[in-house]
Amino acid sequence: MNARTSDREPIDCEEALERLAAYLDQELDRTGRDEMERHLERCRSCFSRAEFERRLKERIQRGLVLDEVPREFEERIRTLLGRRASES
Amino acid sequence: MCKRHGNEEETWFAEAVLDLLPALLSGALSMAASRADAEDLVADAVARAWERRADLRERDRLRGWLFRILRNCFLSERRRRHARPHEISLSGEGEEDASFSLFERLHQPFLLWWGNPEQEFLNTLLEEDLERAVNGLPEHHRVVVVLADVQGFSYAEVAEVLELPVGTVRSRLARARSRLQEALWNHAVERGLKEPEARVRGLLE
Ligand SMILES: [Zn+2]
C-alpha cells in the first residue's frame, strides 16, 4: 500500500478521540497533527470536545501552579546551598 | 577544575535550583502526605543534587534530573517509613478504566443547560474544587497529572522522572485525568451546580 495515500486517509471520530489527549499534549508528529486538525475543522462534535479538554487542562494548570514558595522555605534552601558551597 | 570555574559552576547551579523551587515544591506536594514533608523532601533532594552535581552533563537537563532525584528521595523515604514496601500503586492498574468524560456528562440533553454548558462548568469551577479533586487522587495518578498538566512535562520527561516506559505514562495519565474529571463532576453535583432554572432566573433578573 502506498504510504502517502494512507497518510491522506481522513481519520474518523473514533480515531480523533483516541488521539485527542496526545494532540492537546503536543505529542503527535506532524502527520498525526495535520490529520487531527483536518478532522477538527470538519467535525463540530470533536471540535467542541477538544476545546473543552483544552480549556480544562489550562484551568487545571492555572489553578494548581505554584508561582512562588514561602519565604521561609526559600531561605532554608538558600542556607543549605550556601553552606554546601562554602564547604566545597 | 580551577577554583574560579568551580565557583561559576556552583553559582549557576544554586541560582538554577532556586528558580526551580516552586516547580519542585509543587512536585513534592503531589507525592508527600503533608506540606512539611514536601518541604523536607525538596531540601533532601537539593542536598543530594548538590552532592551529585558533577553527574549533570547538560545544563538543559537540570529540571528532569532534579525531579528524578526528588522522586527517588520520595521513594526511599517511603521505603524507610514502611519496612515492607507495599505496592498499592501497581495493583489492579490494568483494570482501571479511563472512560469517564466530563464533556459527555455535560452534554446530556436532559440537564437543560442554558447556553454553553461546558464553558459554564469551567467558569464556575473553583480553585478549591481543583485542589480537592487532585488531592483525592491516588499518589501514582496525582504525580502524573502534576508533572504533565501543571508542570508541562512531555510524556518522555515524565517517563524519565518516574522511570517508566512512555506507553505506561500515556495510559496512566489517561486514567488519572478520567478520575480527576469524575471527581470534579461529583463535587459539582454535590454542590448542586446543576440548577438550570435558577440560572435562567438569574439571567432574567
Ligand atoms: Zn469527529
Side-chain angles (χ1 to χ4, degrees), chain B residues 166-177:
Chain B
V166 172
T168 308
V169 169
R170 188 181 300 117
S171 54
R172 195 175 286 186
L173 188 58
R175 283 189 291 268
R177 284 171 172 165

Side-chain angles (χ1 to χ4, degrees), chain B residues 25 72 80 82 88 104 110 140 156 175 184 192:
Chain B
L25 186 58
N72 287 333
R80 199 183 62 74
H82 308 276
I88 32 164
E104 282 165 13
F110 64 83
H140 68 291
R175 283 189 291 268
L184 289 172

Side-chain angles (χ1 to χ4, degrees), chain B residues 152-201:
Chain B
F153 280 44
S154 67
Y155 296 171
E157 287 174 301
V158 177
E160 190 196 340
V161 171
L162 302 180
E163 298 184 62
L164 291 170
V166 172
T168 308
V169 169
R170 188 181 300 117
S171 54
R172 195 175 286 186
L173 188 58
R175 283 189 291 268
R177 284 171 172 165
S178 167
R179 291 183 79 155
L180 182 66
Q181 293 200 358
E182 193 169 5
L184 289 172
W185 171 258
N186 289 338
H187 297 170
V189 171
E190 265 172 46
R191 280 208 286 124
L193 199 68
K194 320 259 102 37
E195 288 170 1
E197 282 139 318
R199 212 174 289 271
V200 173
R201 270 204 306 280

Side-chain angles (χ1 to χ4, degrees), chain A residues 1-67:
Chain A
M1 193 171 74
N2 187 331
R4 194 172 287 179
T5 314
S6 80
D7 281 349
R8 290 180 181 170
E9 195 76 38
I11 60 170
D12 60 14
C13 292
E14 197 183 335
E15 179 63 30
L17 287 185
E18 189 90 4
R19 289 188 199 179
L20 182 56
Y23 171 69
L24 295 173
D25 293 335
Q26 300 185 321
E27 295 279 347
L28 291 181
D29 60 18
R30 178 74 190 265
T31 310
R33 201 172 57 230
D34 288 350
E35 287 170 343
M36 189 70 187
E37 278 164 3
R38 244 171 309 151
H39 183 85
L40 295 179
E41 281 164 17
R42 288 189 292 105
C43 178
R44 189 196 149 112
S45 152
C46 288
F47 178 80
S48 313
R49 170 86 182 249
E51 276 301 285
F52 175 74
E53 302 291 346
R54 188 178 61 73
R55 289 188 189 140
L56 179 62
K57 189 178 151 153
E58 277 171 12
R59 187 73 188 79
I60 290 169
Q61 206 271 337
R62 226 178 34 245
L64 298 173
V65 78
L66 210 58
D67 292 320

Side-chain angles (χ1 to χ4, degrees), chain B residues 116-187:
Chain B
N116 179 338
E118 306 96 75
Q119 191 55 47
E120 275 209 50
F121 178 87
L122 293 173
N123 291 345
T124 51
L125 200 57
L126 302 174
E127 225 96 297
E128 63 189 67
D129 295 328
L130 286 169
E131 277 173 26
R132 193 169 141 210
V134 170
N135 290 337
L137 294 175
E139 188 270 335
H140 68 291
H141 281 164
R142 197 165 56 233
V143 74
V144 290
V145 166
V146 168
L147 292 178
D149 287 346
V150 182
Q151 303 297 335
F153 280 44
S154 67
Y155 296 171
E157 287 174 301
V158 177
E160 190 196 340
V161 171
L162 302 180
E163 298 184 62
L164 291 170
V166 172
T168 308
V169 169
R170 188 181 300 117
S171 54
R172 195 175 286 186
L173 188 58
R175 283 189 291 268
R177 284 171 172 165
S178 167
R179 291 183 79 155
L180 182 66
Q181 293 200 358
E182 193 169 5
L184 289 172
W185 171 258
N186 289 338
H187 297 170

